Each structure stands twice: as structure tokens, then as C-alpha cells.
């Protein structure tokens, strides 16, 4: 740095006014000025020559802009009137139930067992219905009411002592109603059979007992659900109508209406429906548990 | 320089250039013409001018336009005319400022321009040298002479009285 002296101080003063000195030069100059009051007055007079900054606006500035003017857009609130129509609601997707392999296997086994035992029960039922014609013990276990016209026999004894009817001859009418009738339809069918058979027997009794069956006392056979009544009626060769009526009530036909053939298997409709109801209830319970979580 | 840069230069520097010219000429209409000419030249050469040097470019062009303008025709007559024209004369409110600007009028164009560029725009000696096409030493010497001349005008017995 050049030393400030009485020969060069003016250059330092002017550079100080022009703000061209660094900090060390400023400090040195101010120290020098402090030592020389005359130079301090000269510094003040030079400071008067410095122009104060004025703010002067160019009057026609707009003509200087080219093409694009710096326009600031004020925020404007515009509401779309039909906004409600634009809202969409996503449809709820049906829950996907993932079945595990063991669940599928268990269901298949369960289905197989149901089908198999259902068929066995059905076969057993049909077997019983066939056997119940001749055997009362088997007929007791069968849920089906069976009335069948047997071949005429000469045996006129009363097989069932509870049945308060006398033997009526060669035709044997057997009404078998299971004691524990769980199925209302079966019970109704049995009742229907009862009303169809017994009046026939009583009609036979009313008109023919006096003439042909001296031992028949004329009472109407009271067939209760718990009673296995075996009624022997006299053979009536001309009574074909009664035989036909009884044959139409054969339970094999009724059971065949309830069964469905699936491939080589015969499936009971009611049991099959019950299986699907149980399976549906299981899935619903799972879904409800999941929704609660 | 893009169109956007140019328009930003108008927004930022038009007032400065106008102040520089109107303080030199003390004639608003001539100052407006020069400012407009300077920006027109910037627009023409915008592809060759970097945005950061737009201000320096504008002052350079305006300064040379100012020199050309003052060298035309009868400069003294022009000066007298705008001094007497109350509508176009730049109005000074304060007495000291008026005296100072009267002192500025006693300077030549180069000295006045140097003072204006230094005090108003804050340019360094080097930057002023680039604008005025003078060396740094020339700027410093001319500027110092202008300061001393202004000071002598301000402390003269006429101004004191």
C-alpha cells in the first residue's frame, strides 16, 4: 500500500469518494485526515460532489417491451358448476376367497362321504321299503310308509295283536309308519296313505264284512304313527282298483323323484342341498369374521 | 439472450438508462429517444448479448448515442433551449441538488457521464472504461477532474452567497 502524504493525499480523497479504496487504505486515510483538519474540510467539500441516488422512472417503458408483456394475472376463482356429476365411486369388488389345499381336500372328502352315505341311506331306505312289505321289523326302521297289496293267502290270522281288526281274508294291507317321523313330508305322505287305505278297508268292511267276513266287527282301523298295523283283508279278485291305487303310492317312485344322478352316483337332493347350505354358512361366517377384523 | 431476458432487462434497467441519459441531456424527450434506441439495439443484437451483460451493453449503447446526440447540430443552442423550456426541463426540488446539477451542466459529456455512471450506477473504473471505451486510468483521471470541478463550482463565492 502506498503511504499517504501531503503530496498524494488528494488522490486518496477522490478514490475514497469514488469508493475505490480497500479497508486498509480507508483506515490509513481516516487516520491521516484526523491528523490534518484542513484535509478533513477538503474531504467534506469533495463529498458534496457525490450525487444522491434519485429514482426516475422511464415514462414510456411499455413501448420498450417486445411481444410479451410481464403481466401478472390475479388469482381468479372459477367454480365448475357440474362438479358433482364428475364424482365417481368405485364398485366394491366381491371378496376373493382363497381356498387352501387342505380345505379343498377336506371338502372333497366330506362331499364324497356325504354322497356315499347318502346313497347308502337311500339304498337302505329302498331296501327297507321292499323288505318292509314282508317284514315288520325292517319296516319299523324305515322312514317310509309302505302299503302294498300282497298276494292272496289263506292265512286269516291277525299278525299284529295291537291292531284291533280282524283278519279280512287273503289280501294283506300293511301300514308301516315310523315312530320317529322326522320328516314332515313323509309323515304327511303316511297320513295320506292312511286315509286312502283305511277307508278302502273300512268300505270293504262295511259292505263285505257282513257278507263275506263274519269275524270282522266293523271298526275303523286306527292307524297311529307309532303303530304298525298289519291288516289282512279277504281277497277280492274284482278289487283291481284298490290295488292300483295302493301301488301308485310306492315310495320308490317318491324317492326316485328326490334323487339326482351325478355320473354313476345317485345323490339325494335334500342332502345335497343341505351340504351346500352348510358350506355357504361356513363361507359367510368366515367373511363376517374378516369384516369384523 | 431470449425474449424473456430482453423483457426482464427492460423491467430492470430502463429506468437506470433513462436516468443516466436525462441527467446528461436534461431533456426528457431526447432522453426517451435515446433509451428507446438503446433498447432497440439490444433487441436487434439480443442473440449476441448475454443476459448478465445486458445492463453494461445498454449503458454502452446509451452512452455512445448520447455522445452522438450531443455532437450533432448546435449543442449549445440545444442546451439553452431545454434550460428555458419549462415543460421539458428536469425539475429540481432542492436547492443543493439544483446547484449540484447546475455544476454537472458545466462538465463536458464525458466527465458528466463518468460521474453519473459512478454515482448512480456504482460502476467501477474498469466497468466505466468498458462502457465509455476509456482506459481505467483515463476514467480515474477524468473523474477526479470532474469532482474537483464540481467542488470548485459548489464552493465558489457565487454559490456561497
Amino acid at each position: 500500500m502506498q503511504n499517504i502524504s501531503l503530496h498524494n493525499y488528494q488522490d486518496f480523497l477522490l478514490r475514497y469518494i469514488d469508493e475505490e479504496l480497500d479497508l486498509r487504505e480507508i483506515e490509513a486515510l481516516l487516520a491521516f485526515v484526523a491528523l490534518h483538519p484542513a484535509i478533513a474540510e477538503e474531504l467534506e467539500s469533495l463529498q458534496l460532489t457525490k450525487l444522491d441516488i434519485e429514482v426516475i422512472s422511464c415514462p414510456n417503458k411499455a413501448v420498450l417491451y417486445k411481444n410479451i408483456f410481464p403481466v401478472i394475472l390475479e388469482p381468479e376463482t372459477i367454480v365448475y358448476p357440474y362438479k358433482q356429476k364428475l364424482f365417481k365411486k368405485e364398485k366394491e369388488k366381491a371378496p376373493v376367497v382363497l381356498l387352501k389345499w387342505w380345505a379343498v381336500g377336506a371338502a372333497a372328502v366330506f362331499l364324497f362321504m356325504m354322497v356315499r352315505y347318502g346313497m347308502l341311506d337311500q339304498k337302505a331306505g329302498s331296501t327297507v321299503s321292499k323288505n318292509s312289505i314282508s317284514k315288520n321289523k325292517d319296516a319299523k326302521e324305515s322312514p317310509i310308509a309302505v302299503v302294498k297289496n300282497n298276494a292272496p293267502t289263506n292265512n286269516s290270522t291277525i299278525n299284529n295283536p295291537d291292531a284291533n281288526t280282524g283278519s279280512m281274508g287273503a289280501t294283506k294291507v300293511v301300514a308301516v309308519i315310523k315312530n320317529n317321523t322326522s320328516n314332515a313330508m313323509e309323515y304327511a305322505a303316511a297320513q295320506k296313505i292312511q286315509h286312502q287305505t283305511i277307508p278302502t278297508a273300512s268300505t270293504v268292511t262295511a259292505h263285505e264284512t257282513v257278507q263275506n267276513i263274519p269275524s270282522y266287527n266293523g271298526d275303523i282301523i286306527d292307524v297311529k304313527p307309532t303303530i304298525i298295523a298289519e291288516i289282512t283283508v279277504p281277497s277280492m279278485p274284482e278289487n283291481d282298483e284298490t290295488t292300483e291305487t295302493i301301488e301308485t303310492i310306492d315310495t320308490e317312485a317318491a324317492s326316485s323323484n328326490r334323487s339326482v344322478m351325478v355320473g354313476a352316483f345317485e345323490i339325494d337332493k335334500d342332502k345335497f342341498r343341505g351340504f351346500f347350505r352348510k358350506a355357504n354358512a361356513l363361507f359367510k361366517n368366515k367373511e363376517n369374521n374378516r369384516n369384523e377384523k | 439472450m431470449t425474449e424473456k431476458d430482453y423483457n426482464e432487462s427492460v423491467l430492470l434497467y430502463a429506468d437506470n438508462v433513462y436516468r443516466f441519459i436525462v441527467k446528461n441531456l436534461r431533456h426528457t424527450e431526447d432522453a426517451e429517444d435515446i433509451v428507446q434506441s438503446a433498447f432497440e439495439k439490444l433487441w436487434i443484437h439480443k442473440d449476441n448479448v448475454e443476459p448478465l451483460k445486458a445492463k453494461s451493453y445498454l449503458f454502452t449503447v446509451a452512452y455512445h448515442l448520447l455522445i452522438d446526440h450531443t455532437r450533432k447540430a448546435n449543442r449549445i443552442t440545444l442546451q439553452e433551449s431545454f434550460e428555458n423550456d419549462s415543460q421539458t426541463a428536469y425539475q429540481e426540488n432542492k436547492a443543493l441538488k439544483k446547484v449540484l446539477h447546475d455544476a454537472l451542466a458545466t462538465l463536458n459529456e464525458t466527465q458528466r457521464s463518468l460521474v453519473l455512471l459512478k454515482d448512480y450506477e456504482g460502476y467501477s473504473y474498469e466497468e466505466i472504461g468498458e462502457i465509455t471505451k476509456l482506459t481505467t486510468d483515463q476514467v480515474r483521471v477524468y473523474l477526479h477532474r470532474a469532482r474537483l470541478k464540481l467542488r470548485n463550482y459548489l464552493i465558489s463565492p457565487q454559490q456561497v452567497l
Side-chain angles (χ1 to χ4, degrees):
Chain A
M1 188 188 79
Q2 189 179 3
N3 290 327
I4 302 174
S5 65
L6 292 174
H7 299 283
N8 62 1
Y9 76 92
Q10 195 172 38
D11 183 61
F12 277 92
L13 291 178
L14 291 168
R15 287 169 60 197
Y16 177 75
I17 299 297
D18 292 337
E19 300 176 359
E20 294 284 342
L21 294 178
D22 56 28
L23 287 176
R24 288 192 302 171
E25 290 174 334
I26 291 171
E27 290 175 357
L29 178 64
L30 292 177
F32 182 81
V33 168
L35 294 174
H36 302 83
I39 296 174
E41 290 180 3
E42 190 175 354
L43 178 61
E44 288 180 5
S45 64
L46 284 173
Q47 285 177 332
L48 295 174
T49 64
K50 191 169 179 66
L51 300 174
D52 293 329
I53 294 176
E54 294 180 58
V55 178
I56 300 173
S57 297
C58 182
N60 293 320
K61 198 191 296 183
V63 300
L64 302 176
Y65 290 113
K66 300 292 183 183
N67 301 330
I68 299 171
F69 292 89
V71 178
I72 299 171
L73 295 175
E74 295 181 356
E76 193 174 0
T77 304
I78 299 174
V79 179
Y80 181 62
Y82 307 107
K83 197 191 296 179
Q84 292 297 328
K85 293 181 180 179
L86 301 178
F87 287 119
K88 301 285 184 188
K89 187 175 182 181
E90 191 175 0
K91 292 181 180 177
E92 291 183 359
K93 294 180 180 177
V96 178
V97 179
L98 297 176
L99 296 175
K100 296 180 180 179
W101 64 269
W102 54 267
V104 174
V109 169
F110 180 71
L111 181 61
F112 176 74
M113 296 293 285
M114 288 293 292
V115 170
R116 185 175 180 191
Y117 284 105
M119 286 179 63
L120 287 176
D121 287 345
Q122 192 175 5
K123 285 177 180 177
S126 60
T127 306
V128 167
S129 65
K130 288 177 181 176
N131 294 333
S132 65
I133 297 166
S134 57
K135 295 180 180 178
N136 290 332
K137 290 181 181 178
D138 294 338
K140 273 187 178 179
E141 295 176 357
S142 173
I144 302 166
V146 178
V147 175
K148 192 162 185 178
N149 192 11
N150 278 345
T153 59
N154 293 323
N155 188 6
S156 60
T157 60
I158 300 169
N159 293 331
N160 189 352
D162 293 336
N164 196 15
T165 59
S167 122
M168 296 177 69
T171 303
K172 191 184 283 185
V173 177
V174 180
V176 181
I177 301 170
K178 189 178 180 183
N179 187 14
N180 188 14
T181 52
S182 60
N183 194 336
M185 290 180 65
E186 291 174 357
Y187 182 77
Q191 291 291 334
K192 189 176 179 183
I193 293 164
Q194 179 184 348
H195 288 295
Q196 285 179 348
T197 56
I198 290 169
T200 304
S202 65
T203 303
V204 170
T205 303
H207 294 286
E208 298 177 1
T209 302
V210 178
Q211 299 172 1
N212 302 327
I213 309 169
S215 62
Y216 183 63
N217 59 4
D219 293 339
I220 297 172
I221 300 169
D222 185 14
V223 180
K224 295 179 180 178
T226 57
I227 294 172
I228 299 170
E230 186 173 315
I231 303 167
T232 304
V233 294
S235 63
M236 290 178 288
E238 68 279 3
N239 196 6
D240 296 334
E241 188 179 347
T242 304
T243 305
E244 287 177 7
T245 304
I246 291 169
E247 283 179 352
T248 55
I249 308 169
D250 192 350
T251 55
E252 288 187 1
S255 64
S256 65
N257 289 333
R258 294 185 307 179
S259 63
V260 174
M261 293 298 293
V262 179
F265 299 101
E266 189 177 5
I267 301 170
D268 192 342
K269 279 183 181 178
D270 295 335
K271 292 179 181 178
F272 203 59
R273 190 182 304 123
F275 166 73
F276 279 111
R277 282 178 183 167
K278 288 179 181 177
N280 191 22
L282 283 173
F283 284 122
K284 281 186 178 178
N285 286 335
K286 280 189 175 180
E287 186 178 351
N288 290 333
N289 292 333
R290 195 173 298 160
N291 291 331
E292 286 178 358
K293 288 179 181 178
Chain B
M1 168 181 278
T2 63
E3 184 178 288
K4 181 182 176 184
D5 295 329
Y6 168 83
N7 288 323
E8 282 186 1
S9 298
V10 173
L11 182 66
L12 294 173
Y13 309 133
D15 292 339
N16 299 46
V17 175
Y18 177 75
R19 181 177 59 189
F20 171 66
I21 301 299
V22 80
K23 286 291 182 182
N24 263 296
L25 291 179
R26 305 187 70 180
H27 195 281
T28 56
E29 293 177 357
D30 290 344
E32 291 174 21
D33 291 339
I34 289 174
V35 170
Q36 192 167 350
S37 299
F39 276 96
E40 193 65 32
K41 195 168 184 178
L42 176 64
W43 174 252
I44 293 169
H45 297 94
K46 64 180 172 58
D47 294 335
N48 301 324
V49 178
E50 294 179 8
L52 293 175
K53 294 187 176 180
K55 183 181 179 182
S56 176
Y57 182 85
L58 283 168
F59 274 96
T60 303
V61 172
Y63 173 75
H64 290 289
L65 290 172
L66 173 69
I67 299 296
D68 293 341
H69 179 79
T70 54
R71 287 178 181 171
K72 282 181 184 177
N74 190 353
R75 182 169 60 91
I76 298 174
T77 306
L78 178 64
Q79 186 171 352
E80 288 175 353
S81 66
F82 75 71
E83 282 178 350
N84 296 327
D85 189 355
S86 60
Q87 291 182 348
T88 58
Y90 190 76
Q91 301 296 322
E92 300 289 346
N93 295 326
K94 296 180 180 179
L96 182 60
K97 280 190 175 181
K98 186 178 184 307
V99 175
L100 184 58
H101 283 275
D102 287 342
L104 274 176
T106 62
L107 301 177
N108 60 40
E109 291 79 8
T110 303
Q111 289 176 335
R112 189 164 50 245
S113 297
L114 296 179
V115 172
L116 293 171
L117 290 171
K118 187 64 183 177
D119 290 349
Y120 283 160
E121 307 304 328
Y123 282 127
S124 64
Y125 293 154
E126 290 78 12
E127 290 170 329
I128 293 172
E130 292 176 1
I131 293 171
T132 58
K133 307 299 180 189
L134 298 172
T135 63
T136 304
D137 290 336
Q138 284 177 317
V139 170
R140 181 172 56 82
V141 170
Y142 292 166
L143 192 57
H144 287 180
R145 288 177 184 171
R147 296 281 185 199
L148 293 173
K149 194 172 182 178
L150 289 172
R151 186 198 63 178
N152 292 335
Y153 183 87
L154 292 173
I155 64 173
S156 64
Q158 294 175 348
Q159 300 303 326
V160 174
L161 293 174

